[in-house]
Coordinates of all heavy atoms in Angstrom, one line a residue:
M511 N 4.7 -5.0 -13.8 CA 6.0 -4.8 -13.3 C 6.8 -6.0 -13.8 O 6.3 -7.1 -13.9 CB 6.0 -4.7 -11.8 CG 5.2 -3.5 -11.2 SD 6.3 -2.1 -11.1 CE 5.2 -0.9 -10.7
G512 N 8.1 -5.8 -13.9 CA 9.0 -6.9 -14.3 C 9.5 -7.6 -13.2 O 9.1 -7.3 -11.9
L513 N 10.3 -8.6 -13.4 CA 10.9 -9.5 -12.3 C 12.1 -8.8 -11.7 O 12.7 -7.8 -12.4 CB 11.5 -10.7 -13.0 CG 10.3 -11.7 -13.6 CD1 11.1 -12.9 -14.3 CD2 9.4 -12.2 -12.5
F514 N 12.4 -9.1 -10.5 CA 13.5 -8.4 -9.7 C 14.6 -9.6 -9.6 O 14.4 -10.5 -9.2 CB 13.0 -7.9 -8.5 CG 14.2 -7.4 -7.6 CD1 14.8 -6.2 -7.9 CD2 14.5 -8.1 -6.3 CE1 15.8 -5.8 -7.2 CE2 15.5 -7.6 -5.6 CZ 16.2 -6.4 -5.9
F515 N 15.8 -9.1 -10.1 CA 17.0 -10.0 -10.0 C 18.0 -9.3 -9.2 O 18.2 -8.2 -9.3 CB 17.6 -10.4 -11.3 CG 16.6 -11.2 -12.2 CD1 15.8 -10.6 -13.2 CD2 16.5 -12.6 -11.9 CE1 15.0 -11.3 -13.9 CE2 15.6 -13.4 -12.7 CZ 14.8 -12.8 -13.7
S516 N 18.6 -10.1 -8.2 CA 19.7 -9.6 -7.5 C 20.9 -10.3 -7.6 O 20.8 -11.5 -7.4 CB 19.3 -9.5 -6.0 OG 20.4 -9.0 -5.2
F517 N 22.0 -9.9 -8.0 CA 23.2 -10.6 -8.2 C 24.2 -10.2 -7.3 O 24.5 -9.0 -6.9 CB 23.8 -10.1 -9.5 CG 22.9 -10.4 -10.8 CD1 22.1 -9.4 -11.3 CD2 22.9 -11.7 -11.3 CE1 21.3 -9.7 -12.3 CE2 21.9 -12.0 -12.3 CZ 21.2 -11.0 -12.8
I518 N 24.9 -11.2 -6.5 CA 25.8 -10.9 -5.6 C 27.0 -11.6 -6.0 O 27.2 -12.7 -6.3 CB 25.4 -11.5 -4.2 CG1 24.1 -11.0 -3.7 CG2 26.5 -11.5 -3.1 CD1 23.5 -11.5 -2.5
I519 N 28.2 -10.6 -6.2 CA 29.3 -11.1 -6.7 C 30.4 -10.9 -5.6 O 30.7 -9.7 -5.3 CB 29.7 -10.4 -8.0 CG1 28.5 -10.5 -8.9 CG2 31.2 -10.8 -8.5 CD1 28.7 -9.6 -10.2
P520 N 30.9 -11.9 -4.9 CA 32.0 -11.7 -3.9 C 33.3 -11.1 -4.6 O 33.7 -11.6 -5.6 CB 32.2 -13.1 -3.2 CG 31.7 -14.0 -4.2 CD 30.7 -13.2 -5.2
E521 N 33.9 -10.3 -3.9 CA 35.2 -9.8 -4.3 C 36.2 -9.6 -3.1 O 35.9 -9.0 -2.1 CB 35.1 -8.3 -5.0 CG 36.3 -7.8 -5.4 CD 36.2 -6.4 -6.0 OE1 35.4 -6.2 -7.0 OE2 36.8 -5.4 -5.5
E522 N 37.1 -10.6 -3.1 CA 38.0 -10.6 -1.9 C 39.1 -9.4 -2.0 O 39.7 -9.3 -3.0 CB 38.7 -12.0 -1.9 CG 37.8 -13.2 -2.0 CD 37.8 -13.9 -0.6 OE1 38.7 -13.7 0.1 OE2 37.0 -14.8 -0.6
K523 N 39.2 -8.7 -1.0 CA 40.3 -7.9 -0.8 C 40.7 -7.9 0.7 O 39.9 -7.4 1.6 CB 39.7 -6.4 -1.1 CG 39.5 -6.1 -2.6 CD 39.5 -4.7 -2.9 CE 39.3 -4.7 -4.4 NZ 39.5 -3.4 -4.9
E524 N 41.9 -8.2 1.0 CA 42.5 -8.2 2.3 C 41.6 -8.9 3.3 O 41.4 -8.4 4.4 CB 42.8 -6.9 2.7 CG 43.9 -6.2 1.8 CD 44.2 -4.8 2.3 OE1 43.8 -4.3 3.3 OE2 44.7 -4.0 1.5
G525 N 41.1 -10.1 3.0 CA 40.4 -10.9 4.0 C 38.9 -10.6 4.1 O 38.2 -11.2 5.0
C526 N 38.5 -9.6 3.5 CA 37.0 -9.3 3.5 C 36.3 -9.5 2.2 O 37.0 -9.4 1.2 CB 36.7 -7.9 4.1 SG 37.2 -6.6 3.1
C527 N 35.0 -9.4 2.1 CA 34.3 -9.5 0.8 C 33.4 -8.3 0.6 O 32.9 -7.7 1.6 CB 33.3 -10.8 0.8 SG 34.3 -12.3 1.0
L528 N 33.4 -7.8 -0.5 CA 32.4 -6.7 -1.0 C 31.3 -7.3 -1.8 O 31.6 -8.3 -2.6 CB 33.2 -5.6 -1.8 CG 34.4 -5.0 -1.0 CD1 35.1 -4.0 -2.0 CD2 33.8 -4.2 0.0
Y529 N 30.1 -6.9 -1.7 CA 29.0 -7.5 -2.5 C 28.4 -6.4 -3.3 O 28.2 -5.2 -2.7 CB 27.9 -8.1 -1.6 CG 28.5 -9.4 -0.8 CD1 29.1 -9.3 0.5 CD2 28.5 -10.5 -1.5 CE1 29.7 -10.4 1.0 CE2 29.0 -11.7 -0.9 CZ 29.5 -11.6 0.5 OH 30.1 -12.7 1.0
Y530 N 28.0 -6.7 -4.5 CA 27.3 -5.7 -5.4 C 25.9 -6.4 -5.6 O 25.7 -7.5 -5.9 CB 28.0 -5.6 -6.7 CG 29.5 -5.2 -6.5 CD1 30.5 -6.0 -6.5 CD2 29.8 -3.8 -6.4 CE1 31.8 -5.6 -6.3 CE2 30.9 -3.4 -6.2 CZ 32.1 -4.3 -6.2 OH 33.3 -3.9 -6.0
S531 N 24.9 -5.6 -5.6 CA 23.6 -5.9 -6.0 C 22.8 -4.8 -6.8 O 23.1 -3.7 -6.7 CB 22.7 -6.3 -4.7 OG 22.6 -5.1 -4.0
R532 N 22.0 -5.3 -7.6 CA 21.2 -4.4 -8.5 C 19.8 -4.0 -7.8 O 19.1 -4.9 -7.4 CB 21.0 -4.9 -9.8 CG 20.6 -3.9 -10.8 CD 20.7 -4.6 -12.2 NE 19.3 -5.0 -12.6 CZ 19.0 -5.8 -13.5 NH1 20.0 -6.4 -14.1 NH2 17.8 -6.2 -13.7
K533 N 19.5 -2.8 -7.4 CA 18.3 -2.4 -6.9 C 17.2 -2.2 -7.8 O 17.4 -1.7 -8.9 CB 18.6 -1.1 -5.9 CG 19.6 -1.3 -4.9 CD 19.1 -1.9 -3.6 CE 20.2 -2.0 -2.6 NZ 19.8 -2.5 -1.4
R534 N 16.0 -2.4 -7.3 CA 14.7 -2.2 -8.1 C 14.7 -0.6 -8.2 O 14.7 0.1 -7.2 CB 13.6 -2.8 -7.6 CG 12.4 -2.6 -8.4 CD 11.1 -3.1 -7.8 NE 11.3 -4.4 -7.4 CZ 10.3 -5.3 -7.1 NH1 9.1 -4.8 -7.0 NH2 10.4 -6.6 -6.8
Q535 N 14.2 0.0 -9.3 CA 14.0 1.3 -9.5 C 12.6 1.6 -9.1 O 11.7 0.9 -9.4 CB 14.2 1.9 -10.9 CG 15.7 1.8 -11.2 CD 15.9 2.3 -12.8 OE1 15.0 2.4 -13.4 NE2 17.2 2.4 -13.2
M536 N 12.5 2.7 -8.3 CA 11.1 3.1 -7.7 C 10.5 3.9 -8.9 O 11.1 4.8 -9.4 CB 11.4 4.0 -6.5 CG 11.9 3.2 -5.4 SD 11.0 1.6 -5.0 CE 9.7 2.2 -4.0
I537 N 9.3 3.8 -9.1 CA 8.4 4.5 -10.1 C 7.4 5.4 -9.3 O 6.8 4.9 -8.5 CB 7.7 3.5 -11.0 CG1 8.6 2.5 -11.7 CG2 6.7 4.3 -12.0 CD1 7.9 1.4 -12.5
D538 N 7.4 6.5 -9.7 CA 6.5 7.5 -9.1 C 5.0 7.2 -9.5 O 4.8 7.2 -10.8 CB 6.7 8.9 -9.3 CG 8.0 9.4 -8.5 OD1 8.2 8.9 -7.5 OD2 8.7 10.3 -9.0
L539 N 4.0 6.9 -8.7 CA 2.8 6.7 -9.2 C 2.0 8.0 -9.0 O 2.1 8.7 -8.1 CB 2.1 5.6 -8.3 CG 2.8 4.2 -8.3 CD1 2.2 3.3 -7.4 CD2 2.7 3.6 -9.8
P540 N 1.0 8.3 -9.9 CA 0.1 9.4 -9.9 C -0.8 9.3 -8.7 O -1.3 8.2 -8.3 CB -0.6 9.5 -11.1 CG -0.5 8.0 -11.8 CD 0.7 7.4 -11.2
E541 N -0.9 10.3 -7.9 CA -1.7 10.3 -6.6 C -2.9 11.4 -6.7 O -2.8 12.2 -7.6 CB -0.9 10.8 -5.4 CG 0.2 9.8 -5.1 CD 1.0 10.2 -3.9 OE1 1.1 11.4 -3.7 OE2 1.6 9.4 -3.3
E542 N -4.1 11.2 -6.0 CA -5.0 12.0 -6.0 C -5.7 11.9 -4.5 O -5.5 11.0 -3.8 CB -6.2 11.6 -7.1 CG -6.8 10.3 -6.7 CD -7.8 10.0 -7.9 OE1 -8.1 10.7 -8.7 OE2 -8.4 8.8 -7.8
M543 N -6.6 13.0 -4.4 CA -7.2 13.1 -3.0 C -8.4 12.0 -3.2 O -9.1 11.9 -4.1 CB -7.9 14.5 -2.8 CG -8.5 14.7 -1.4 SD -7.2 14.6 -0.2 CE -6.5 16.1 -0.2
T544 N -8.4 11.1 -2.2 CA -9.3 9.9 -2.2 C -10.1 9.9 -1.0 O -9.7 10.1 0.1 CB -8.5 8.7 -2.3 OG1 -7.6 8.8 -3.4 CG2 -9.2 7.4 -2.5
M545 N -11.3 9.6 -1.2 CA -12.4 9.4 -0.1 C -12.0 8.1 0.6 O -11.9 7.1 0.0 CB -13.9 9.4 -0.5 CG -14.3 10.7 -1.1 SD -14.2 12.0 0.1 CE -15.3 11.5 1.3
I546 N -11.9 8.2 2.0 CA -11.5 7.0 2.8 C -12.5 6.9 4.0 O -13.2 7.9 4.3 CB -10.0 7.0 3.3 CG1 -9.8 8.2 4.2 CG2 -9.1 6.9 2.2 CD1 -8.5 8.0 5.0
W547 N -12.4 5.8 4.7 CA -13.1 5.5 6.0 C -12.0 5.3 7.0 O -11.2 4.4 6.7 CB -14.0 4.4 5.9 CG -15.3 4.6 5.2 CD1 -15.5 4.6 3.8 CD2 -16.5 5.2 5.7 NE1 -16.8 4.9 3.4 CE2 -17.5 5.3 4.6 CE3 -16.9 5.6 6.9 CZ2 -18.7 5.8 4.7 CZ3 -18.2 6.0 7.1 CH2 -19.1 6.1 6.0
S548 N -12.1 6.1 8.1 CA -11.0 5.9 9.0 C -11.6 5.4 10.3 O -12.8 5.8 10.7 CB -10.3 7.3 9.4 OG -9.7 7.8 8.3
C549 N -10.8 4.5 11.2 CA -11.4 4.1 12.5 C -11.5 5.2 13.5 O -10.6 6.0 13.5 CB -10.4 2.9 13.0 SG -11.0 2.2 14.5
T550 N -12.6 5.3 14.3 CA -12.8 6.2 15.2 C -12.1 5.9 16.6 O -12.0 6.7 17.3 CB -14.4 6.3 15.5 OG1 -14.9 5.1 16.0 CG2 -15.1 6.9 14.3
N551 N -11.5 4.7 16.6 CA -10.8 4.3 17.9 C -9.4 5.0 17.7 O -8.7 4.7 16.8 CB -10.7 2.8 17.8 CG -9.9 2.3 19.2 OD1 -9.3 3.1 19.9 ND2 -9.9 1.1 19.3
K552 N -9.1 5.8 18.8 CA -7.9 6.5 18.8 C -6.6 5.6 18.8 O -5.5 6.0 18.3 CB -7.8 7.6 19.9 CG -8.9 8.6 19.7 CD -8.8 9.5 18.6 CE -9.9 10.5 18.7 NZ -10.1 11.1 17.3
E553 N -6.7 4.5 19.3 CA -5.7 3.5 19.5 C -5.5 2.6 18.1 O -4.5 1.9 18.1 CB -5.8 2.6 20.6 CG -5.8 3.4 21.9 CD -6.1 2.6 23.1 OE1 -6.3 1.2 23.0 OE2 -6.3 3.0 24.3
C554 N -6.3 2.8 17.2 CA -6.3 2.0 16.0 C -6.0 2.9 14.8 O -6.4 4.0 14.7 CB -7.6 1.3 15.7 SG -7.7 0.3 14.3
N555 N -5.1 2.5 13.8 CA -4.8 3.2 12.7 C -5.5 2.7 11.4 O -5.0 2.9 10.4 CB -3.3 3.3 12.6 CG -2.7 2.0 12.3 OD1 -3.3 1.0 12.4 ND2 -1.3 2.1 12.0
G556 N -6.7 2.0 11.6 CA -7.2 1.2 10.4 C -7.9 2.3 9.6 O -8.5 3.4 10.0
W557 N -7.8 2.1 8.2 CA -8.6 2.9 7.3 C -8.8 2.1 6.0 O -8.2 1.0 5.7 CB -7.9 4.1 6.9 CG -6.6 4.0 6.3 CD1 -5.3 3.9 7.0 CD2 -6.3 3.9 4.9 NE1 -4.3 3.6 6.0 CE2 -4.9 3.7 4.8 CE3 -7.1 4.0 3.7 CZ2 -4.3 3.7 3.5 CZ3 -6.4 4.0 2.5 CH2 -5.1 3.8 2.5
M558 N -9.8 2.4 5.2 CA -9.9 1.9 3.8 C -10.6 2.8 2.8 O -11.1 3.8 3.1 CB -10.8 0.6 4.0 CG -12.2 0.9 4.4 SD -13.4 -0.5 4.6 CE -12.9 -1.1 6.2
R559 N -10.2 2.5 1.6 CA -10.8 3.3 0.5 C -12.3 3.3 0.5 O -12.8 2.2 0.7 CB -10.2 3.0 -0.9 CG -8.7 3.3 -1.0 CD -8.1 2.7 -2.3 NE -6.8 2.8 -2.4 CZ -6.2 3.7 -3.1 NH1 -6.9 4.6 -3.9 NH2 -4.9 3.8 -3.2
N560 N -12.9 4.3 0.2 CA -14.4 4.4 0.1 C -14.9 3.5 -1.1 O -15.9 2.7 -0.8 CB -14.9 5.9 -0.2 CG -16.4 5.8 -0.1 OD1 -17.0 5.4 0.8 ND2 -17.0 6.4 -1.2
N561 N -14.3 3.3 -2.2 CA -14.7 2.5 -3.3 C -14.4 1.0 -3.0 O -14.5 0.1 -3.9 CB -14.1 3.0 -4.7 CG -12.7 2.9 -4.8 OD1 -11.9 2.8 -3.7 ND2 -12.1 2.9 -5.9
F562 N -13.9 0.6 -1.9 CA -13.6 -0.8 -1.5 C -14.5 -1.2 -0.2 O -14.3 -2.3 0.2 CB -12.2 -1.1 -1.2 CG -11.4 -1.2 -2.5 CD1 -10.7 0.0 -2.9 CD2 -11.3 -2.5 -3.2 CE1 -10.0 -0.1 -4.0 CE2 -10.5 -2.4 -4.3 CZ -9.7 -1.3 -4.7
V563 N -15.5 -0.4 0.1 CA -16.4 -0.6 1.2 C -17.7 -1.2 0.7 O -18.2 -0.9 -0.4 CB -16.7 0.8 1.9 CG1 -17.9 0.6 3.0 CG2 -15.5 1.4 2.5
F564 N -18.2 -2.2 1.3 CA -19.4 -2.9 0.9 C -20.5 -2.8 1.7 O -21.5 -3.4 1.7 CB -19.0 -4.3 0.9 CG -18.1 -4.8 -0.3 CD1 -16.7 -5.0 0.1 CD2 -18.4 -4.9 -1.5 CE1 -15.7 -5.3 -1.0 CE2 -17.5 -5.2 -2.6 CZ -16.3 -5.5 -2.3
S565 N -20.5 -1.7 2.6 CA -21.8 -1.4 3.5 C -21.8 0.2 3.6 O -20.7 0.9 3.3 CB -21.6 -2.0 4.8 OG -20.6 -1.6 5.6
I566 N -22.9 0.6 4.0 CA -23.1 2.1 4.2 C -22.3 2.7 5.3 O -21.8 3.8 5.2 CB -24.6 2.5 4.3 CG1 -25.4 2.1 3.0 CG2 -24.8 3.9 4.6 CD1 -26.8 2.2 3.0
Q567 N -22.4 1.9 6.4 CA -21.6 2.2 7.5 C -20.6 1.2 7.9 O -20.9 0.2 8.7 CB -22.4 2.5 8.7 CG -21.7 2.9 10.1 CD -20.9 4.3 9.9 OE1 -21.3 5.3 9.5 NE2 -19.6 4.1 10.3
P568 N -19.3 1.2 7.3 CA -18.4 0.1 7.6 C -17.8 0.0 9.1 O -17.9 1.0 9.7 CB -17.2 0.4 6.6 CG -17.3 2.0 6.4 CD -18.7 2.3 6.6
I569 N -17.4 -1.1 9.5 CA -16.8 -1.5 10.8 C -15.3 -1.7 10.5 O -14.9 -2.4 9.5 CB -17.5 -2.8 11.4 CG1 -19.1 -2.5 11.5 CG2 -16.9 -3.1 12.7 CD1 -19.4 -1.5 12.5
C570 N -14.6 -1.3 11.4 CA -13.1 -1.4 11.3 C -12.7 -3.1 11.3 O -13.3 -3.7 12.2 CB -12.4 -0.8 12.4 SG -10.6 -1.0 12.4
G571 N -12.0 -3.4 10.5 CA -11.6 -4.9 10.4 C -10.6 -5.2 11.5 O -10.4 -6.4 11.7
Q572 N -10.0 -4.3 12.0 CA -8.9 -4.4 13.1 C -9.3 -4.5 14.4 O -9.0 -5.3 15.2 CB -7.7 -3.5 12.9 CG -7.0 -3.5 11.5 CD -6.0 -2.5 11.3 OE1 -5.6 -1.8 12.4 NE2 -5.4 -2.3 10.3
C573 N -10.3 -3.5 14.6 CA -10.7 -3.4 16.0 C -12.3 -3.4 16.3 O -12.9 -3.4 17.3 CB -10.1 -2.2 16.8 SG -10.9 -0.7 16.1
N574 N -13.0 -3.6 15.2 CA -14.5 -3.7 15.2 C -15.2 -2.3 15.6 O -16.4 -2.4 16.1 CB -15.0 -4.9 15.9 CG -14.7 -6.1 15.3 OD1 -14.6 -6.3 14.0 ND2 -14.3 -7.1 16.1
S575 N -14.5 -1.2 15.6 CA -15.2 0.0 15.8 C -15.7 0.7 14.8 O -15.5 0.2 13.6 CB -14.0 0.9 16.4 OG -13.5 0.5 17.6
L576 N -16.6 1.7 14.9 CA -17.3 2.4 13.8 C -16.1 3.2 13.0 O -15.1 3.5 13.6 CB -18.3 3.3 14.3 CG -19.6 2.7 14.9 CD1 -20.5 3.7 15.4 CD2 -20.3 1.8 13.9
M577 N -16.4 3.4 11.8 CA -15.5 4.3 11.0 C -16.2 5.6 10.5 O -17.4 5.6 10.4 CB -15.1 3.4 9.7 CG -14.3 2.1 10.2 SD -13.7 1.3 8.8 CE -12.1 2.0 8.8
E578 N -15.4 6.6 10.2 CA -15.8 7.9 9.7 C -15.3 8.2 8.5 O -14.1 7.8 8.2 CB -15.6 9.0 10.8 CG -14.3 9.2 11.1 CD -14.0 10.2 12.3 OE1 -15.0 10.6 12.9 OE2 -12.9 10.5 12.6
K579 N -16.0 9.1 7.6 CA -15.4 9.5 6.3 C -14.4 10.4 6.4 O -14.4 11.3 7.3 CB -16.5 10.1 5.4 CG -17.4 9.0 4.7 CD -18.4 9.7 3.7 CE -19.1 8.7 3.1 NZ -19.9 9.1 2.1
G580 N -13.4 10.4 5.5 CA -12.4 11.4 5.4 C -11.7 11.5 4.1 O -12.2 10.8 3.1
E581 N -10.6 12.1 3.9 CA -9.9 12.2 2.7 C -8.3 11.9 2.9 O -7.9 12.3 4.0 CB -10.0 13.5 2.1 CG -11.4 13.9 1.5 CD -11.5 15.2 0.7 OE1 -10.7 16.1 1.2 OE2 -12.2 15.2 -0.1
K582 N -7.7 11.4 2.1 CA -6.3 11.1 2.0 C -5.7 11.0 0.7 O -6.3 10.7 -0.3 CB -6.0 9.8 2.7 CG -4.7 9.3 3.1 CD -4.8 8.1 3.8 CE -3.5 7.9 4.7 NZ -3.5 6.7 5.6
I583 N -4.5 11.6 0.5 CA -3.8 11.6 -0.8 C -3.2 10.1 -0.9 O -2.3 9.7 -0.2 CB -2.7 12.7 -0.9 CG1 -3.4 14.0 -0.8 CG2 -2.0 12.6 -2.2 CD1 -2.4 15.1 -0.8
L584 N -3.7 9.5 -1.9 CA -3.2 8.1 -2.2 C -3.0 7.8 -3.7 O -3.5 8.6 -4.5 CB -4.3 7.2 -1.8 CG -4.7 7.1 -0.3 CD1 -6.0 6.2 -0.1 CD2 -3.6 6.6 0.4
P585 N -2.1 6.8 -4.1 CA -2.0 6.4 -5.4 C -3.3 6.1 -6.1 O -4.2 5.5 -5.4 CB -1.1 5.3 -5.5 CG -0.4 5.4 -4.1 CD -1.3 6.0 -3.2
I586 N -3.6 6.4 -7.3 CA -4.8 6.2 -8.0 C -4.9 4.7 -8.2 O -3.9 4.0 -8.6 CB -4.7 6.8 -9.3 CG1 -4.8 8.4 -9.2 CG2 -6.0 6.4 -10.3 CD1 -4.5 9.1 -10.6
L587 N -6.1 4.2 -7.8 CA -6.4 2.7 -7.9 C -7.8 2.5 -8.2 O -8.7 3.1 -7.7 CB -6.0 2.0 -6.6 CG -6.1 0.6 -6.4 CD1 -5.1 -0.1 -7.3 CD2 -6.0 0.2 -4.9
A588 N -8.1 1.7 -9.2 CA -9.5 1.5 -9.7 C -10.0 0.1 -9.1 O -9.2 -0.9 -9.1 CB -9.4 1.3 -11.2
N589 N -11.2 0.2 -8.6 CA -11.8 -1.0 -8.2 C -12.6 -1.6 -9.3 O -13.7 -1.0 -9.7 CB -12.7 -0.8 -7.0 CG -13.3 -2.1 -6.4 OD1 -13.2 -3.1 -6.9 ND2 -14.0 -1.8 -5.3
T590 N -12.3 -2.7 -9.9 CA -12.9 -3.3 -11.1 C -13.8 -4.5 -10.5 O -14.4 -5.2 -11.4 CB -12.0 -3.8 -12.0 OG1 -11.1 -4.7 -11.4 CG2 -11.2 -2.6 -12.5
S591 N -14.1 -4.6 -9.3 CA -14.9 -5.7 -8.7 C -16.4 -5.6 -9.2 O -16.9 -4.5 -9.0 CB -14.9 -5.8 -7.2 OG -15.8 -6.6 -6.7
P592 N -17.0 -6.6 -9.8 CA -18.4 -6.5 -10.2 C -19.3 -6.6 -8.9 O -20.6 -6.3 -8.9 CB -18.5 -7.8 -11.0 CG -17.6 -8.7 -10.6 CD -16.4 -7.9 -10.2
N593 N -18.9 -6.9 -7.7 CA -19.6 -7.1 -6.5 C -19.7 -5.9 -5.7 O -20.1 -6.0 -4.5 CB -19.0 -8.3 -5.7 CG -19.1 -9.5 -6.4 OD1 -19.8 -9.8 -7.1 ND2 -18.0 -10.4 -6.1
Q594 N -19.4 -4.7 -6.1 CA -19.3 -3.5 -5.5 C -20.7 -2.9 -5.3 O -21.2 -2.1 -6.1 CB -18.4 -2.5 -6.2 CG -18.4 -1.1 -5.6 CD -17.5 -0.9 -4.6 OE1 -16.4 -1.4 -4.7 NE2 -17.8 0.0 -3.6
T595 N -21.5 -3.5 -4.3 CA -22.8 -2.8 -4.1 C -22.9 -2.6 -2.6 O -22.8 -3.5 -1.8 CB -24.0 -3.8 -4.4 OG1 -23.8 -5.1 -3.9 CG2 -23.9 -4.1 -6.0
K596 N -23.1 -1.3 -2.2 CA -23.3 -0.9 -0.8 C -24.7 -1.2 -0.4 O -25.6 -0.7 -1.0 CB -22.9 0.4 -0.6 CG -21.4 0.6 -0.8 CD -21.0 2.1 -0.7 CE -19.6 2.2 -1.0 NZ -19.0 3.6 -0.9
S597 N -25.0 -1.8 0.8 CA -26.4 -2.1 1.2 C -26.5 -1.7 2.6 O -25.6 -1.4 3.3 CB -26.7 -3.6 1.0 OG -25.7 -4.4 1.7

């Protein structure tokens, strides 16, 4: 992605100022159905992608509860970590 610049140019009209800024354009990312692990604690909204889990039965990083497998539509993301081994 490129750099984001915002330009603010004051323009005086009858005692008030108007400001102009350039907004970053949003890019649509391709999405796919992705295997995830969701926290089983109903009060916690923790989840993680299956390809970023480093154990067979992961524990929630937010509340330390067990997690269960599920699916979610997410942007495509590749895990290129050489340390990806589930034990």
Side-chain angles (χ1 to χ4, degrees):
M511 300 266 169
L513 296 173
F514 174 71
F515 294 98
S516 179
F517 300 97
I518 299 175
I519 304 166
E521 181 181 301
E522 303 246 353
K523 288 199 176 186
E524 297 180 16
C526 69
C527 294
L528 300 174
Y529 293 93
Y530 301 99
S531 67
R532 196 170 95 198
K533 302 272 184 185
R534 182 186 306 194
Q535 292 181 351
M536 300 303 284
I537 298 171
D538 288 332
L539 298 174
E541 296 180 334
E542 68 181 357
M543 189 63 76
T544 307
M545 293 298 299
I546 63 163
W547 287 89
S548 298
C549 184
T550 57
N551 182 351
K552 299 297 180 199
E553 297 176 3
C554 180
N555 62 355
W557 64 272
M558 65 181 80
R559 291 173 185 258
N560 186 50
N561 64 342
F562 285 91
V563 173
F564 292 99
S565 63
I566 294 172
Q567 178 62 51
I569 304 292
C570 179
Q572 296 178 10
C573 69
N574 295 323
S575 297
L576 291 177
M577 300 186 88
E578 62 187 4
K579 279 190 176 182
E581 291 184 329
K582 192 172 195 172
I583 297 176
L584 297 170
I586 297 172
L587 186 62
N589 183 359
T590 57
S591 173
N593 300 328
Q594 173 90 35
T595 56
K596 295 179 183 178
S597 54

